[in-house]
Amino acid sequence: MAIEFTKYHGLGNDFILIDNRSSYLPVLTPEQAIQLCDRHFGIGADGVIFALPGENGTDYTMRIFNSDGSEPEMCGNGIRCLAGFLADLEGQSRNKDSYRIHTLGGVMTPQLLSDGLVKVDMGLPRLLAGEIPTTLASVEEKVISQPLEVAGKTWDVTCVSMGNPHCITFVEDVAAIELESIGPKFEHHPAFPQRINTEFIQVVRPDYLKMRVWERGAGITLACGTGACASLVAGVLTGKCDRTATVELPGGPLQIEWSEIDQRVYMTGPAERVFTGKL
């Protein structure tokens, strides 16, 4: 049976979106996702996202397979793309501008704005070592500006979970980081039992950060929404940035806010449809 798909990207972080609303299980296997994500022999993407029926009172459920077949808890750019995809699926029958989406990282609420951007309530950041998880501190302690030795160098790192794990380190020049060689060493470091997403952050101004990212299961990507959120939180915790800032990624900017009122993190950015097709 032919399976229709739509290709979306959020600042160059690209995904294959599949209407999976007729089943609670993804219609493709992780092995098939690997083949589809191949940029030479497949469609090409950082991951495959499935729109499944909602659970526990939510509108929909999001499942995602990375380009290596692994399944992350959540994806910030991906959930913006999913919101745009759902709006396309619902068409004229759509009667609201926001969705409650069940993910393995918790319930997320993306809102379609009038300017075409998508604002997502990403929830509360999780800061305890046991929540991330990492062995850099005891399970009830936070990991803020802790030393971590990677590839013979000691890095000053802060760890945050946005439903998925992140290790953030602040550097003088993100362009000078040899991401292809250092990224895998962070991802597979024994201090991170479930592997880790790693963000390298340059503080240009307290309200403007530059970021490069190595994503767990995907490698170098042009953008990472949860990573941008985690990086702003880390910047606030270490006194390096404001609670609202622009995070400039290789694919473009995201607006991130860690609200002082409700302590939730909000991410605003684009979701662009590229093309549709059939498998």
Side-chain angles (χ1 to χ4, degrees):
M1 182 179 67
I3 298 175
E4 296 183 351
F5 72 89
T6 302
K7 178 81 176 285
Y8 265 82
H9 79 87
L11 300 179
N13 194 193
D14 55 344
F15 306 94
I16 300 163
L17 279 294
I18 293 178
D19 181 0
N20 210 126
R21 294 175 296 172
S22 62
S23 172
Y24 284 91
L25 295 174
V27 295
L28 300 175
T29 65
E31 291 74 23
Q32 289 171 315
I34 292 172
Q35 294 174 348
L36 293 178
C37 289
D38 190 290
R39 298 190 183 277
H40 299 287
F41 298 100
I43 297 167
D46 292 320
V48 180
I49 295 174
F50 305 88
L52 292 86
E55 299 180 27
N56 302 321
T58 57
D59 298 309
Y60 296 98
T61 295
M62 172 185 180
R63 295 277 301 274
I64 176 172
F65 293 148
N66 284 324
S67 57
D68 71 348
S70 62
E71 182 171 9
E73 299 88 347
M74 229 293 289
C75 176
N77 288 315
I79 203 164
R80 294 200 319 276
C81 292
L82 177 59
F85 179 61
L86 292 172
D88 287 344
L89 290 179
E90 293 180 357
Q92 294 183 349
S93 66
R94 181 163 63 93
N95 57 13
K96 56 183 178 180
D97 293 322
S98 65
Y99 301 102
R100 294 184 72 248
I101 298 178
H102 174 81
T103 78
L104 296 180
V107 176
M108 305 294 164
T109 308
Q111 178 185 6
L112 299 158
L113 303 180
S114 58
D115 59 4
L117 298 179
V118 180
K119 182 177 182 178
V120 185
D121 176 355
M122 300 289 287
L124 300 171
R126 302 166 196 175
L127 305 177
L128 302 182
E131 297 175 314
I132 289 162
T134 178
T135 61
L136 290 174
S138 64
V139 293
E140 295 296 324
E141 291 182 336
K142 298 176 182 177
V143 179
I144 302 174
S145 295
Q146 292 286 336
L148 176 68
E149 186 172 331
V150 180
K153 177 180 176 179
T154 300
W155 304 77
D156 190 62
V157 304
T158 298
C159 296
V160 178
S161 173
M162 292 302 309
N164 57 355
H166 294 271
C167 174
I168 300 96
T169 184
F170 293 89
V171 298
E172 290 294 322
D173 181 9
V174 291
I177 297 296
E178 296 179 357
L179 196 54
E180 189 167 345
S181 62
I182 196 67
K185 294 181 173 64
F186 270 90
E187 178 181 355
H188 297 282
H189 194 284
F192 307 111
Q194 294 181 16
R195 297 188 294 163
I196 199 78
N197 299 284
T198 308
E199 286 76 33
F200 298 88
I201 303 297
Q202 176 183 341
V203 180
V204 180
R205 299 188 308 269
D207 66 346
Y208 187 86
L209 311 177
K210 284 187 176 181
M211 168 179 149
R212 293 179 67 201
V213 58
W214 178 274
E215 287 199 54
R216 177 187 62 168
I220 297 174
T221 61
L222 296 178
C224 176
T226 55
C229 294
S231 296
L232 180 122
V233 170
V236 173
L237 292 173
T238 55
K240 298 180 186 297
C241 76
D242 298 337
R243 297 187 75 98
T244 299
T246 298
V247 181
E248 182 77 31
L249 304 109
L254 289 171
Q255 302 301 317
I256 309 296
E257 176 192 3
W258 186 15
S259 173
E260 202 161 9
I261 297 172
D262 61 13
Q263 298 299 307
R264 301 175 78 84
V265 181
Y266 297 89
M267 170 189 62
T268 303
E272 303 286 344
R273 184 173 65 244
V274 183
F275 60 84
T276 62
K278 288 185 179 182
L279 302 176

